[in-house]
Amino acid sequence: MFLEIKLRDLMEVSEDKFWIGLTDSGKEGRWLWVDGSPLHERLTFWSNNEPDNWIALNPVGEDCVRMGERGGTHDLKCWFDQSCDVPQKSICEKATRTSPRVCS
Ligand SMILES: [Ca+2]
Ligand SMILES: [Ca+2]
């Protein structure tokens, strides 16, 4: 929900979506995050009829996942598998920045 809300304001057109670091390029249908951890199948947000590994535009299929719906979604189902060759913006995760504690 946090990401979906953040992206709404950043999307200018409907194709202006964001890679989330999830792929099935190693084995079709086996979804892994970029750190190698598997997708928790009970915690997915696929849009209707996705993932479909659609091959009409690219015979290799669709092995990368992007998210976002301009204007938002009511059910958070905003993940789409897409050809990895399509340029998109990306969401990156980084460690929490912590500041040293000061004792007084
Ligand atoms: Ca695929
Ligand atoms: Ca797709």
Side-chain angles (χ1 to χ4, degrees):
M1 182 180 295
F2 172 80
L3 290 175
E4 201 271 345
I5 291 171
K6 288 287 186 187
L7 298 186
R8 287 179 196 175
D9 296 335
L10 301 174
M11 298 176 67
E12 296 177 2
V13 296
S14 60
E15 286 298 298
D16 190 14
K17 300 180 189 293
F18 293 76
W19 295 129
I20 61 171
L22 185 62
T23 182
D24 73 339
S25 61
K27 180 181 178 187
E28 184 59 33
R30 187 170 68 113
W31 295 100
L32 299 175
W33 295 103
V34 290
D35 68 357
S37 63
L39 173 66
H40 194 306
E41 295 293 341
R42 290 184 185 169
L43 190 61
T44 65
F45 300 93
W46 297 113
S47 185
N48 287 341
N49 303 316
E50 302 286 342
D52 58 359
N53 200 46
W54 201 48
I55 59 170
L57 293 179
N58 186 339
V60 174
E62 299 177 315
D63 294 341
C64 292
V65 179
R66 63 184 192 175
M67 71 170 285
E69 283 286 7
R70 188 166 180 253
T73 60
H74 66 282
D75 56 6
L76 299 179
K77 299 201 178 298
C78 58
W79 286 9
F80 302 81
D81 63 339
Q82 176 64 273
S83 167
C84 302
D85 297 336
V86 175
Q88 306 281 186
K89 297 173 183 170
S90 297
I91 298 171
C92 298
E93 181 180 17
K94 62 182 182 180
T96 305
R97 187 172 161 195
T98 57
S99 56
R101 290 190 174 170
V102 177
C103 298
S104 56

